[in-house]
Amino acid sequence: MYAPRVRHGFDVPRPLITALTVLFAVLTAVLAAALFVRSTSDDEPIGLPGAAIFAPVTAIAYAVREGGFDSIYVRSLERTDSPRLLESFPVLFNLRVRGSAAPSGDTLAILHIESGLGAAARLTLLDVASGDTREVDSGFDYLSSIAWHPSGLALAVTRPTVPGEPARGATLVEVDTRTLTATDRYTFAGASRVHPIGYSADGSRIFVVVIDQAGSTLWAVASGEPERIASLSPGLTRDWALSPDGSRLAFIDRLGAGGRSQAGRVLVIATGAVLDVGLDGDQFGTAWRPGAAVPDFGGPEGSVRLSAAEEGQYLSPITWSPDGAHLVASVFVPGEGGAPSSERVEILSAAARVRLSDQDSAAFLGLVRND
């Protein structure tokens, strides 16, 4: 059922404009200097084509819990059409499907638990136009990030080094989406978490965040040995978002107990410099608006907020649409009488706020084409 639009926009608080302007100036200077730094890496490219030009995405894919299944639907960003059912996957052990859309918007990569596999997940490719599925393999880490090659012809996920025990290291696996061949690229032994977060702009390297006893570190994996890029933090990090050109990484640094526990940061990959974005308080979630020099951070003290929001309400950005007209975000609404806050996914534009679905169980999977 179509829900009438709520006429609210979102804006950047005026006090943050100065801070963001300063960050832009710093980033510009650092990146300009980086142009004169020649890489000494002798890693060979993986051999897949670079970025392609695709038709614009105009729809959104999401999963809704229906009984013992996760049903995957597609509809327009503005909710001007009825949802179209693509496929349903069983929900086992209360672990729901996780997914990511290809840059082309025509394919969804879905991680889902299978009976008898414990915490291991199967990877399925789902065609958005037809709903056809192709099974890749099983034994992947259910909590793995999914990073797509710019061409859409490959993706990166992780597999636990010890089956059923992802906290004892993980192997980075690259999947060819044409042949469904899964190739082990590198094993990070002893890491508590390994997260592929994206490819370089030319598709030759996979960027991976590794969390272990030393903290959070960014690595680049091509052929041969991986290259350690930079230390992100001596502690835990989260909400990593690679800039569209692959030159910078926005993330949240988890500072632990204290007055400020979650801080927005930006890594300049060419130099390894980690920059504080100049915000106070806590930030949650990161996303890059197309063409923007700096990322957006959410949270109670983020750089992007809801205008005319209720008291205590804030958002955590998930992703911008390729044209920059829509922001998909989790909106946190404080509970009544001291109850915990609730979370719902919304699609925000300058003119409207639209809920992802009327059902509270709706989970965002990706922006897609709905030809």
Side-chain angles (χ1 to χ4, degrees), residues 56-58 77-78 288-291 320-327 348 367:
V57 299
T58 58
L77 286 170
E78 293 83 9
W288 292 86
R289 185 198 297 256
W320 283 93
S321 61
D323 61 2
H326 297 85
L327 173 66
L348 312 174
L367 297 177

Side-chain angles (χ1 to χ4, degrees), residues 140-217:
F140 294 106
D141 182 0
Y142 167 73
L143 295 177
S144 174
S145 305
I146 302 173
W148 282 90
H149 190 277
S151 68
L153 300 180
L155 59 84
V157 289
T158 59
R159 195 194 309 273
T161 303
V162 179
E165 298 187 36
R168 294 182 57 183
T171 297
L172 178 69
V173 181
E174 189 170 40
V175 175
D176 188 311
T177 59
R178 298 160 295 183
T179 65
L180 306 186
T181 302
T183 303
D184 291 354
R185 290 300 178 193
Y186 189 79
T187 296
F188 292 89
S192 59
R193 298 300 312 171
V194 176
H195 297 277
I197 50 95
Y199 282 74
S200 58
D202 63 359
S204 65
R205 300 189 296 171
I206 308 170
F207 291 120
V208 182
V209 172
V210 177
I211 299 176
D212 55 22
Q213 293 182 346
S216 300
T217 309

Side-chain angles (χ1 to χ4, degrees), residues 86-87 124-134:
L86 287 182
E87 183 59 275
T124 297
L125 299 183
L126 177 59
D127 186 274
V128 175
S130 66
D132 293 340
T133 59
R134 293 184 295 152

Side-chain angles (χ1 to χ4, degrees), residues 55-62 73-77 80-86 104-107 127-130 367-371:
V57 299
T58 58
I60 192 165
Y62 59 99
Y73 290 94
V74 170
R75 65 161 177 78
S76 67
L77 286 170
T80 56
D81 57 350
S82 298
R84 177 170 60 92
L85 177 64
L86 287 182
S104 56
D106 60 358
T107 305
D127 186 274
V128 175
S130 66
L367 297 177
V368 296
R369 291 162 49 191
N370 195 18
D371 301 334

Side-chain angles (χ1 to χ4, degrees), residues 96-370:
R96 304 187 59 192
V97 299
R98 303 180 65 254
S100 177
S104 56
D106 60 358
T107 305
L108 287 168
I110 304 294
L111 286 170
H112 55 102
I113 298 294
E114 285 195 315
S115 178
L117 291 178
R122 175 171 288 275
L123 177 63
T124 297
L125 299 183
L126 177 59
D127 186 274
V128 175
S130 66
D132 293 340
T133 59
R134 293 184 295 152
E135 303 298 325
V136 177
D137 200 353
S138 60
F140 294 106
D141 182 0
Y142 167 73
L143 295 177
S144 174
S145 305
I146 302 173
W148 282 90
H149 190 277
S151 68
L153 300 180
L155 59 84
V157 289
T158 59
R159 195 194 309 273
T161 303
V162 179
E165 298 187 36
R168 294 182 57 183
T171 297
L172 178 69
V173 181
E174 189 170 40
V175 175
D176 188 311
T177 59
R178 298 160 295 183
T179 65
L180 306 186
T181 302
T183 303
D184 291 354
R185 290 300 178 193
Y186 189 79
T187 296
F188 292 89
S192 59
R193 298 300 312 171
V194 176
H195 297 277
I197 50 95
Y199 282 74
S200 58
D202 63 359
S204 65
R205 300 189 296 171
I206 308 170
F207 291 120
V208 182
V209 172
V210 177
I211 299 176
D212 55 22
Q213 293 182 346
S216 300
T217 309
L218 180 68
W219 294 74
V221 178
S223 59
E225 290 294 311
E227 176 188 0
R228 184 183 185 277
I229 301 297
S231 172
L232 301 180
S233 168
L236 300 176
T237 56
R238 54 177 289 181
D239 300 344
W240 311 276
L242 194 65
S243 64
D245 63 359
S247 66
R248 291 153 290 166
L249 176 68
F251 63 95
I252 301 297
D253 190 357
R254 299 176 62 178
L255 304 178
R260 189 186 189 194
S261 60
Q262 313 273 345
R265 304 275 192 254
V266 174
L267 167 72
V268 181
I269 293 177
T271 64
V274 176
L275 307 176
D276 192 325
V277 297
L279 300 172
D280 295 324
D282 287 336
Q283 288 82 53
F284 300 100
T286 59
W288 292 86
R289 185 198 297 256
V294 294
D296 289 315
F297 292 94
E301 301 298 331
S303 59
V304 60
R305 304 182 190 180
L306 295 164
S307 62
E310 302 172 13
E311 183 178 358
Q313 193 177 72
Y314 63 90
L315 62 81
S316 176
I318 299 174
T319 188
W320 283 93
S321 61
D323 61 2
H326 297 85
L327 173 66
V328 181
S330 293
V331 176
F332 293 84
V333 180
E336 297 181 359
S341 63
S342 60
E343 176 186 357
R344 63 174 181 257
V345 179
E346 297 186 11
I347 301 98
L348 312 174
S349 68
R353 286 174 56 181
V354 179
R355 290 190 63 176
L356 177 62
S357 169
D358 295 326
Q359 296 175 278
D360 293 335
S361 65
F364 171 76
L365 296 178
L367 297 177
V368 296
R369 291 162 49 191
N370 195 18

